[in-house]
Amino acid sequence: MQDKYKRVYNFSAGPAVLPVEVLETARDEMLNYQGSGMSVMEMSHRSKTYDNIIKEAEKDLRELIDIPQNYKVLFLQGGAHLQFSAVPVNLLKNGVADYIVTGQWAKKAYVEAQKYGKINKVATSEDKNFSYIPDCSDLDIDENADYVYICENNTIYGTKFWTLPNTKGKVLVSDMSSCFLSEPVDVTKYGLIFAGVQKNVGPAGVQIVIVREDLLSDELPKWAPTMLNYKIHADKDSLYNTPPAYGIYICGLVFKWLKKLGGLKVMKEINEKKAKILYDFLDGSKLFKGTVEKNSRSLMNIPFVTGSDEMDKKFIEEVTKAGLVQLKGHRSVGGMRASLYNAMPIEGVIALVEFMKKFESEN
Ligand SMILES: *Cc1c(COP(=O)(O)O)cnc(C)c1O
C-alpha cells in the first residue's frame, strides 16, 4: 500500500472507523459519481441521480434490518441530541413518559424531555457509575406513559441491554446510536428507534429514525418546530429540506458493504468473536480489568483500567505510538476504552491484545 493511504487501527468511540472498501469507493467516485460528471457533494438533492441514492439507501436498510412496511425510515440531522427533543415533542400525547437512565446519554435525554411533560425515572444504574443494566422486568410503569425510553448500548460505560425492559404494553423508544446495525433487531418490539450514524454507520451529520406509522401525528402543539415534526419528514421522504446528502450516500455504501458481508447475523458473529478476544484477555489479565458487570457487557464499547492513573497514561502513550489510537477512556470512567465497531477488523483487536500482553509482561 502506498504510504499516503496508510491507516492506523482506530478505536474511537465516534466519529469512528469506516470500512476501507467504502472509503475507497467514495474516493473513486469523488470527482465523477457514476458518469454524472460531479461529486455527490455537488449534486442537487432534487436530482434524479440523488433520488436514486437516497431511495436505494432506504431500500437496503429496510432489507438489512427487515423493517416492516408500517414503519417509516427518516434520514435527519441535528445529532442524537436533537432526538432527545424530537421524541417527546412527537410522542407525548398524555404528556407522560418513563425513562430508564443507564448513562450520560439517557440522562441527557431524560433531562431534555422534562421541558415537555411529566417525565419519570423508572430505573437507573447511577449507584454504581452506570456499570450495569438494572433489572427492568417489573418496573413501576406509569399507566399514562406514552412511551418507555432506553439507551440500548451505553457508549461511554460499555453496557448493553441484552433483555429489553418489560414496558407493560407501552411503546418502547430506543437510542441505538452505538449498536445500530451491529446485530439483527426485531423492529416490531419498538415504536421508535433512532441512531446517530457516526458511531457505527457513517459520517457525523446523519440521524436515522425508524418509527411506527401510527405514532406519527398531524397535530403537534402549535409551538412545535416544523423541523422536529416526524410526520412532515415522513410525508416528504426525508426531502422536506436539504438532507445531509453526502452523509446519506456514505451510509448507503455501508449498507451495501453489510449486505455483501452476509447481513447483520454474520456481522453479529464477527462482532462477538472480536469482543470475546478482548474480554477473554481482560478476564485473565493481572494488570488490566474490565469495568462492566459481565452480563451487561457491550460488544461495541469496552472500557478497561489498570487501577492506576499513571499506568493508564503510560499505556495510552505507548499503545498510540504503536499505531493503535483513540484508546483513551471517557473522563467519567477513566482508563481506556476500545470501541470495536463493525468496521474494526479482527486484526486490530488481535494487535491490541498482543500489545496489552507485552505491556503487562513489561510492567
Ligand atoms: C454519541 C451518542 C449520542 C450523542 O450523539 P450526538 O450526535 O453528538 O448528538 C447519543 N446517544 C448515544 C448512545 C451516543 O453514543
Side-chain angles (χ1 to χ4, degrees):
M1 206 193 294
Q2 280 171 273
D3 221 35
K4 80 168 178 176
Y5 292 132
K6 188 172 179 304
R7 290 172 56 81
V8 291
Y9 288 122
N10 175 6
F11 293 91
S12 170
V17 58
L18 287 169
V20 171
E21 294 90 323
V22 165
L23 297 175
E24 285 172 344
T25 304
R27 178 192 63 196
D28 293 344
E29 295 180 335
M30 179 62 76
L31 298 183
N32 177 356
Y33 175 76
Q34 299 191 0
S36 65
M38 61 177 89
S39 168
V40 175
M41 276 184 228
E42 303 169 298
M43 202 173 273
S44 163
H45 61 294
R46 308 279 175 208
S47 66
K48 183 82 200 114
T49 312
Y50 191 74
D51 202 55
N52 286 337
I53 291 174
I54 191 168
K55 291 262 159 55
E56 192 148 316
E58 178 175 340
K59 184 175 136 282
D60 286 337
L61 180 64
R62 283 185 175 275
E63 232 174 279
L64 274 173
I65 339 185
D66 196 14
I67 302 175
Q69 277 313 310
N70 64 325
Y71 284 75
K72 291 286 187 185
V73 173
L74 310 176
F75 295 101
L76 306 175
Q77 312 190 48
H81 276 80
L82 197 59
Q83 297 310 311
F84 299 166
S85 318
V87 165
V89 165
N90 283 271
L91 300 192
L92 287 178
K93 310 265 152 63
N94 301 328
V96 182
D98 288 346
Y99 278 60
I100 298 172
V101 177
T102 52
Q104 263 190 39
W105 299 126
K107 197 172 179 176
K108 272 188 139 175
Y110 164 71
V111 170
E112 183 67 19
Q114 288 174 15
K115 294 179 178 170
Y116 307 103
K118 174 176 172 256
I119 308 299
N120 309 306
K121 192 196 288 181
V122 289
T124 178
S125 51
E126 196 161 12
D127 59 332
K128 292 183 188 162
N129 198 30
F130 300 118
S131 58
Y132 68 104
I133 298 292
D135 176 5
C136 298
S137 57
D138 186 19
L139 300 174
D140 190 14
I141 302 291
D142 195 310
E143 61 178 290
N144 291 317
D146 291 306
Y147 60 90
V148 176
Y149 181 102
I150 60 169
C151 177
E152 198 151 332
N153 184 80
N154 296 279
T155 325
I156 293 173
Y157 303 91
T159 61
K160 160 96 199 297
F161 278 85
W162 291 109
T163 310
L164 290 177
N166 175 3
T167 65
K168 305 189 176 170
K170 304 298 182 193
V171 165
L172 180 62
V173 172
S174 174
D175 174 357
M176 273 192 202
S177 296
S178 51
C179 59
F180 193 59
L181 303 184
S182 67
E183 60 175 357
V185 169
D186 180 355
V187 175
T188 64
K189 290 185 174 154
Y190 303 83
L192 187 146
I193 292 167
F194 71 88
V197 305
Q198 76 271 27
K199 304 293 160 65
N200 202 25
V201 183
V206 182
Q207 295 304 304
I208 295 176
V209 174
I210 301 170
V211 56
R212 217 174 61 208
E213 240 167 354
D214 62 283
L215 297 172
L216 300 175
S217 168
D218 276 325
E219 288 167 33
L220 293 193
K222 246 201 163 87
W223 51 259
T226 307
M227 280 299 286
L228 287 192
N229 189 323
Y230 291 141
K231 181 75 166 42
I232 285 176
H233 291 290
D235 287 347
K236 299 286 185 193
D237 297 322
S238 303
L239 293 170
Y240 170 72
N241 70 322
T242 317
Y246 193 78
I248 294 168
Y249 154 72
I250 299 288
C251 292
L253 295 180
V254 172
F255 302 157
K256 293 219 180 289
W257 176 78
L258 282 165
K259 279 174 69 178
K260 199 168 141 206
L261 200 78
L264 299 187
K265 205 162 153 272
V266 175
M267 192 70 251
K268 183 181 191 186
E269 283 162 17
I270 297 170
N271 286 331
E272 282 172 341
K273 208 162 137 189
K274 286 188 294 184
K276 187 173 187 308
I277 293 171
L278 182 50
Y279 281 128
D280 281 353
F281 171 73
L282 289 172
D283 288 342
S285 170
K286 289 201 174 60
L287 180 63
F288 298 100
K289 48 181 182 309
T291 59
V292 169
E293 283 187 12
K294 278 192 183 172
N295 56 5
S296 301
R297 285 172 163 179
S298 164
L299 297 179
M300 297 283 100
N301 312 100
I302 306 184
F304 55 93
V305 294
T306 64
S308 144
D309 290 348
E310 238 161 81
M311 192 64 84
D312 289 349
K313 197 163 159 252
K314 182 164 187 247
F315 175 76
I316 290 161
E317 260 170 38
E318 292 184 15
V319 79
T320 306
K321 280 192 202 129
L324 303 156
V325 310
Q326 300 280 334
L327 280 156
K328 194 171 181 327
H330 191 276
R331 61 191 177 282
S332 57
V333 180
M336 284 68 68
R337 171 177 50 174
S339 293
L340 310 183
Y341 293 125
N342 288 351
M344 170 57 65
I346 196 160
E347 292 79 11
V349 188
I350 293 169
L352 173 61
V353 168
E354 286 310 311
F355 189 92
M356 289 167 78
K357 277 183 192 158
K358 184 168 145 284
F359 186 88
E360 180 165 343
S361 73
E362 292 167 357
N363 286 276

